[in-house]
């Protein structure tokens, strides 16, 4: 039997035991998180294809797993796998350690909140930095003359929480005993070991992982989490049994907009999220053939089923993104880009057949599915996302998932406008419904988890006064501890300790650490310590933080305006420059040359020459020595037929242009050199000599 087939069978067996979407051959982890070809961690999983974790996963007989982490590494002798498997279920948390010679050691009971926090910490860790050069060489000619065996990674970490899984190699600095001590320790030093240590604080011996689960912890479990996990288990159970009739009946029931959890989350969204995240991230085409046949079987049994076709769409999307990986787009091989586009074109073909039937059924997942696939197609655009959101808002203004998905794909990582997420959060409130006032809080709550971590008010445009009003509406309609804990968490992030203290009193013992950001219980403890703090300076501190953020945003607006003008998107360039102009009035005492100059450039590009003259003149009032502004004003005068005034502007520009380029940054120097060549050609046309 081939290694590839064996590994596939082992993972398949594991899926029927512990239901964790991990590729234990680690081939997809290596594809998404590349390491050097000669690294020991590339060959180790192939040398040990059948490891204790396969058996443990297959034998697992406990409750459904809500969150989990696996750390596998070779021992220092035969290279056998040492593993630590962390498991959190509804009623317990534990860690089980094993080795081929020690398969039945007792597991240790853990604090569920601390474990979940540790798992989230690891999920959000960045990839370890690659070594400089070869890094640590352990055997000089292992792969042949001049081809050494490298040891810059010591194992693999796999995590799963909230339906999201991640697998990657573990860097040599991430454990306490660093592999390469010849160089200084970096910021990664010991971080994984620290996360494990925090998870294991107060650990107590319990039974092996495959035994009956330990008794429930004394702290009450969140009713919200119970409801979500019950529905997740129901959907996964039907999928595992290929029970499509029950899935159809469940989906039909959940189409009722009143089918919500205690926190107000649509149960329909939980249903569809299980379909979205069911496929694994692997490049194994045998796997994709099998999982796509599963979707086709559902379609064959229920030919008119929208849910079956949505599932097929999500399978195709997962296949496409598995081949694309997580590298920068420019670094992805063309063959993998084409594999992705082939899959997403097919997915879009299915989505195009679903609009009429899903709107007729009043199923809001149509627009979310469209927004999920669109960014991975060859006709993606930020404006396309915004237009789709506008259509969705007319049909289904209360479906949170549409706004969440749009906001996620509207960060600057996706070449969107700096104000795009804020626009989506505010647009979600524009259609007056029972849920609309709470949408601002919901969108930023989601984006805090996905993009901004514990620095929402520093890294986004979230406004606390707006968010506070929105949270009041949210907990007024859905006073679930899940929401109250989140409200308290964000009040703490904003420094509004008085509001936080009132909420903590209201929460009492009904703590939900999942709502306290990625640090969970630690964030709660840190914030609770501020409950009695003096808050007399809270507003002034908040204003200072907002001012710093606005300054950063101001420069992001300028850069975005320049890029959109370069791309020929003049309307978008002008829109964001007007926003920069508004911020200019808040931050500075006089008009900024930076804003007015870019307005002049965009007005000249769109042949609005009178407006260009006006903007440039306003800018020159604050910075009269800026030569390029005179040049651009000269171009505007020239286009208006006022050549003598243009000549005067060109002469002033030539006289004030420095002889040397001051910038040392290569891209900036190249841009300035191009600008000088353009100016020099125009000066020659007018018989004007230049100092460069």
């Amino acid at each position: 039997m081939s290694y590839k087939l064996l590994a596939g069978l082992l993972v398949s067996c594991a899926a029927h035991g512990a239901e964790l979407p991990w590729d234990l051959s680690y081939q997809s982890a290596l594809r998404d998180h590349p390491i050097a070809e000669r690294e020991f961690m590339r060959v180790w999983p192939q040398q040990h294809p059948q490891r204790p974790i396969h058996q443990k996963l297959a034998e697992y007989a406990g409750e459904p797993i809500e969150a989990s982490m696996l750390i596998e590494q070779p021992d220092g002798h035969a290279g056998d796998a040492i593993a630590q498997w962390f498991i959190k279920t509804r009623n317990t948390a534990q860690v089980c350690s094993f080795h081929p010679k020690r398969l039945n050691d007792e597991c240790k009971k853990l604090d569920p909140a601390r474990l979940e926090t540790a798992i989230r910490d690891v999920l959000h860790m960045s990839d370890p930095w690659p070594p400089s050069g070869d890094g640590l060489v352990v055997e000089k000619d292992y792969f042949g003359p001049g081809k050494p065996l490298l040891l810059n990674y010591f194992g693999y970490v796999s995590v799963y929480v909230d339906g999201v899984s991640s697998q990657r190699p573990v860097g040599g600095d991430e454990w306490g005993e660093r592999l390469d001590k010849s160089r200084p320790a970096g910021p990664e030093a010991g971080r994984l070991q620290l996360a494990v240590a925090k998870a294991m604080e107060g650990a107590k011996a319990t039974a092996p992982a495959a035994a009956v689960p330990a008794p429930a912890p004394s702290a009450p479990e969140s009713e919200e989490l119970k409801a979500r996990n019950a529905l997740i288990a129901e959907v996964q159970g039907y999928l595992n049994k290929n029970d499509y009739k029950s899935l159809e009946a469940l989906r039909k029931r959940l189409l009722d907009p009143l089918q919500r959890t205690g926190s107000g989350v649509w149960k329909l969204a939980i249903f569809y999220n299980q379909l979205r995240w069911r496929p694994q991230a692997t490049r194994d085409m045998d796997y994709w053939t099998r999982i796509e046949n599963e979707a086709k079987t559902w379609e064959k049994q229920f030919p008119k089923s929208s849910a079956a076709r949505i599932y097929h769409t999500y399978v195709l999307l997962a296949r496409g993104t598995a081949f694309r990986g997580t590298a920068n787009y420019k670094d992805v091989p063309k063959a993998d880009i084409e594999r992705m586009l082939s899959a997403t074109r097919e997915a879009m073909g299915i989505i195009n057949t679903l609009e009429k039937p899903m709107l007729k059924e009043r199923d809001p997942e149509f627009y979310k599915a469209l927004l999920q696939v669109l960014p991975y197609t060859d006709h993606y655009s930020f404006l396309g996302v915004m237009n789709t959101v506008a259509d969705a808002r007319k049909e289904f203004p209360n479906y949170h998932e549409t706004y969440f998905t749009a906001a996620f794909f509207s960060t600057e990582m996706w070449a969107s406008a700096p104000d795009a997420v804020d626009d989506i959060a505010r647009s979600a409130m524009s259609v007056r419904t029972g849920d609309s006032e709470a949408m601002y809080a919901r969108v930023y709550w989601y984006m805090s988890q996905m993009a901004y971590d514990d620095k929402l008010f520093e890294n986004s445009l979230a406004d606390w006064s707006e968010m506070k009003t929105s949270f009041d509406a949210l907990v007024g309609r859905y006073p679930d501890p899940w929401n109250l804990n989140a409200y308290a968490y964000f009040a703490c992030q904003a420094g509004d300790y008085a509001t936080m203290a009132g909420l903590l009193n209201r929460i009492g013992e009904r703590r939900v650490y999942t709502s306290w950001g990625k640090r969970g219980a630690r964030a709660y403890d840190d914030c609770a310590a501020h409950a009695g703090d003096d808050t007399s300076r809270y507003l002034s501190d908040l204003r200072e933080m907002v001012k710093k953020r606005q300054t950063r945003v101001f420069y992001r607006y300028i850069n975005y305006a320049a890029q959109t003008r370069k791309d020929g998107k003049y309307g978008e360039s002008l829109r964001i420059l007007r926003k920069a102009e508004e911020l200019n009035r808040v931050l500075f005492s006089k008009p900024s040359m930076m804003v007015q100059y870019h307005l002049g450039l965009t007005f000249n590009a769109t042949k609005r020459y009178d407006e260009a003259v006006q903007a440039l003149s306003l800018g020159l009032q604050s910075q009269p020595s800026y030569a390029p502004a005179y040049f651009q004003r000269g171009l505007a005068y020239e286009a208006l037929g006022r050549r003598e005034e243009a000549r005067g502007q060109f002469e002033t520009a030539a006289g004030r242009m420095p002889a040397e380029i001051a910038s040392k940054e290569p891209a900036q120097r190249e841009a300035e050199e191009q600008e000088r060549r353009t100016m020099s050609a125009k000066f020659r046309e007018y018989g004007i000599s230049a100092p460069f």
Side-chain angles (χ1 to χ4, degrees):
M1 181 182 292
S2 71
Y3 159 71
K4 182 177 179 182
L5 179 57
L6 175 61
L9 288 173
L10 291 169
V11 173
S12 175
C13 290
H16 290 290
E19 300 296 346
L20 292 168
W22 292 336
D23 171 10
L24 294 178
S25 73
Y26 295 119
Q27 293 305 298
S28 56
L30 289 169
R31 198 80 61 186
D32 293 342
H33 309 273
I35 62 177
E37 291 292 333
R38 299 195 300 273
E39 286 285 353
F40 176 57
M41 274 304 108
R42 270 196 174 275
V43 300
W44 176 70
Q46 300 174 38
Q47 294 171 346
H48 299 268
Q50 188 165 5
R51 305 184 301 280
I53 186 60
H54 294 98
Q55 177 182 340
K56 291 294 184 180
L57 283 167
E59 293 176 350
Y60 179 79
E63 291 183 316
I65 295 173
E66 295 177 354
S68 188
M69 176 167 64
L70 170 70
I71 300 173
E72 278 197 296
Q73 63 187 103
D75 67 19
H77 302 284
D80 289 333
I82 304 170
Q84 285 181 296
W85 183 22
F86 297 82
I87 307 161
K88 178 184 177 297
T89 70
R90 183 176 65 179
N91 290 316
T92 191
Q94 58 186 325
V95 58
C96 307
S97 302
F98 37 83
H99 179 276
K101 296 178 182 178
R102 301 190 317 275
L103 290 177
N104 295 308
D105 287 359
E106 282 190 329
C107 298
K108 294 180 179 179
K109 183 179 178 182
L110 303 178
D111 177 81
R114 292 189 184 280
L115 175 56
E116 185 170 339
T117 297
I119 291 173
R120 291 181 187 280
D121 284 350
V122 175
L123 178 66
H124 289 93
M125 285 179 183
S126 58
D127 280 8
W129 282 98
S132 176
D134 283 341
L136 186 61
V137 174
V138 290
E139 192 169 332
K140 186 177 179 182
D141 298 315
Y142 184 89
F143 293 102
K147 297 180 179 179
L149 177 67
L150 309 177
L151 189 61
N152 297 297
Y153 301 84
F154 81 86
Y156 290 89
V157 58
S158 305
V159 294
Y160 171 83
V161 64
D162 294 337
V164 178
S165 65
S166 175
Q167 296 180 275
R168 64 170 177 82
V170 176
D173 273 7
E174 293 188 88
W175 212 247
E177 186 67 19
R178 298 173 57 235
L179 293 178
D180 187 358
K181 301 181 182 67
S182 65
R183 56 186 178 80
E188 302 167 0
R191 63 179 184 179
L192 185 58
Q193 187 172 31
L194 179 62
V196 168
K198 289 179 178 177
M200 295 185 66
E201 287 180 15
K204 298 177 182 178
T206 182
V212 177
S218 56
E221 184 189 6
S222 162
E223 291 298 322
E224 175 75 11
L225 206 54
K226 282 184 184 178
R228 294 188 186 199
N229 289 334
L231 181 53
I232 288 170
E234 184 178 6
V235 177
Q236 290 181 348
Y238 294 149
L239 285 168
N240 291 337
K241 293 184 292 186
N242 301 325
D243 186 355
Y244 304 123
K245 182 178 180 180
S246 294
L247 283 168
E248 288 290 324
L250 178 59
R251 180 253 186 180
K252 185 177 181 180
R253 176 167 61 84
L254 298 182
L255 282 173
D256 180 356
L258 298 179
Q259 285 284 335
R260 309 282 188 103
T261 66
S263 73
V265 169
W266 287 58
K267 291 184 178 180
L268 184 70
I270 298 172
F271 171 89
Y272 276 121
N273 281 338
Q274 298 316 298
L275 305 188
R276 170 71 180 93
W277 297 112
R278 179 171 171 78
Q280 299 175 11
T282 176
R283 296 169 65 93
D284 183 350
M285 284 307 298
D286 291 340
Y287 169 81
W288 290 114
T289 298
R290 178 170 62 82
I291 199 78
E292 193 169 349
N293 282 340
E294 184 180 284
K296 290 177 178 178
T297 300
W298 186 353
E299 289 175 305
K300 186 175 181 180
Q301 287 185 23
F302 296 89
K304 295 182 179 180
S305 169
S306 298
R309 281 181 281 173
I310 285 289
Y311 181 42
H312 195 172
T313 296
Y314 285 151
V315 168
L316 291 167
L317 175 59
R319 190 185 83 195
T321 54
F323 281 101
R324 188 219 178 279
T326 58
N328 288 332
Y329 189 85
K330 62 182 178 61
D331 297 327
V332 180
K334 289 184 178 179
D336 286 343
I337 292 294
E338 187 47 48
R339 290 187 182 99
M340 177 190 76
L341 293 176
S342 174
T344 55
R345 288 185 196 116
E346 189 175 349
M348 285 298 292
I350 295 174
I351 288 176
N352 289 335
T353 69
L354 286 172
E355 183 172 9
K356 287 184 178 179
M358 291 187 78
L359 292 186
K360 184 178 180 181
E361 295 169 313
R362 305 308 297 161
D363 188 336
E365 186 72 9
F366 167 75
Y367 288 108
K368 180 198 170 182
L370 178 57
L371 287 166
Q372 289 273 1
V373 177
L374 193 60
Y376 297 99
T377 66
D378 46 9
H379 49 268
Y380 164 75
S381 74
F382 162 59
L383 294 178
V385 168
M386 298 305 285
N387 290 335
T388 302
V389 173
D391 291 341
R393 191 167 58 244
K394 294 175 186 175
E395 294 287 344
F396 306 105
N398 290 334
Y399 195 54
H400 315 139
E401 293 287 319
T402 302
Y403 304 110
F404 297 166
T405 306
F408 177 78
F409 289 114
S410 295
T411 58
E412 289 175 79
M413 181 181 74
W414 292 90
S416 299
D419 62 337
V421 172
D422 196 62
D423 277 356
I424 289 169
R426 293 179 184 280
S427 73
M429 299 189 296
S430 62
V431 180
R432 289 299 169 190
T433 65
D435 281 358
S436 61
E437 291 183 353
M439 284 295 192
Y440 187 89
R442 284 195 186 275
V443 171
Y444 271 118
W445 179 359
Y446 175 82
M447 290 304 292
S448 176
Q449 298 171 321
M450 302 303 295
Y452 304 128
D453 296 330
D454 288 334
K455 297 183 178 180
L456 178 68
F457 300 105
E458 295 178 41
N459 296 338
S460 77
L461 295 180
D463 179 273
W464 174 237
S465 61
E466 193 86 58
M467 199 165 179
K468 188 176 178 181
T469 300
S470 189
F471 258 118
D472 283 336
L474 176 58
V475 300
R477 187 175 174 88
Y478 298 104
D480 190 272
W482 189 277
N483 295 337
L484 290 167
N485 277 263
Y487 190 179
Y489 166 67
F490 287 110
C492 176
Q493 294 301 307
D496 187 355
Y497 299 132
T499 296
M500 180 199 71
L503 288 161
L504 291 181
N505 287 334
R506 187 173 173 186
I507 290 165
E509 294 300 314
R510 300 178 300 163
R511 295 186 291 275
V512 180
Y513 294 130
T514 307
S515 297
W516 286 82
K518 69 177 186 179
R519 295 175 62 243
R522 294 203 307 278
Y524 173 88
D525 291 341
D526 291 346
C527 287
H530 290 288
D533 283 7
D534 177 16
T535 59
S536 59
R537 288 187 51 80
Y538 143 64
L539 287 176
S540 61
D541 290 344
L542 184 60
R543 280 193 293 268
E544 184 61 29
M545 182 171 67
V546 168
K547 186 174 181 179
K548 290 179 180 178
R549 180 186 69 190
Q550 287 174 328
T551 302
R552 291 195 300 270
V553 169
F554 175 79
Y555 293 109
R556 284 158 57 191
Y557 280 171
I558 298 297
N559 291 335
Y560 178 74
Q563 184 60 52
T564 49
R565 183 179 59 253
K566 182 180 177 181
D567 295 340
K569 300 172 183 176
Y570 301 118
E572 179 66 1
S573 181
L574 284 174
R575 183 190 71 82
I576 209 71
L577 283 169
R578 292 304 189 195
K579 285 209 164 187
E581 207 169 21
E582 292 174 14
L583 266 185
N584 187 114
R585 286 191 283 271
V586 172
L587 295 169
F588 309 113
S589 60
K590 56 185 178 180
S592 163
M593 169 58 82
M594 193 177 294
V595 175
Q596 301 305 321
Y597 180 67
H598 280 278
L599 278 170
L601 289 174
T602 306
F603 283 137
N604 271 345
T606 53
K607 300 181 180 181
R608 295 163 63 173
Y609 302 115
D610 286 321
E611 291 170 277
V613 169
Q614 183 179 0
L616 293 162
S617 298
L618 191 58
L620 285 165
Q621 290 178 19
S622 61
Q623 193 175 340
S625 62
Y626 192 55
Y630 290 103
F631 181 76
Q632 289 296 326
R633 191 161 65 174
L635 292 178
Y637 280 138
E638 183 184 57
L640 291 167
R642 297 156 64 175
R643 289 186 63 83
E644 285 308 309
E645 289 171 281
R647 174 185 292 278
Q649 296 300 304
F650 295 146
E651 288 174 345
T652 303
R656 302 196 179 195
M657 199 72 181
E660 300 293 334
I661 296 175
S663 176
K664 295 182 179 180
E665 199 276 318
Q668 184 63 30
R669 285 187 65 86
E670 183 181 347
E672 290 189 30
E673 286 168 358
Q674 177 58 47
E675 182 180 52
R676 284 170 177 251
R677 287 192 291 270
T678 301
M679 293 171 74
S680 183
K682 182 60 68 175
F683 294 159
R684 287 195 300 271
E685 183 182 328
Y686 278 79
I688 300 169
S689 60
F692 47 83

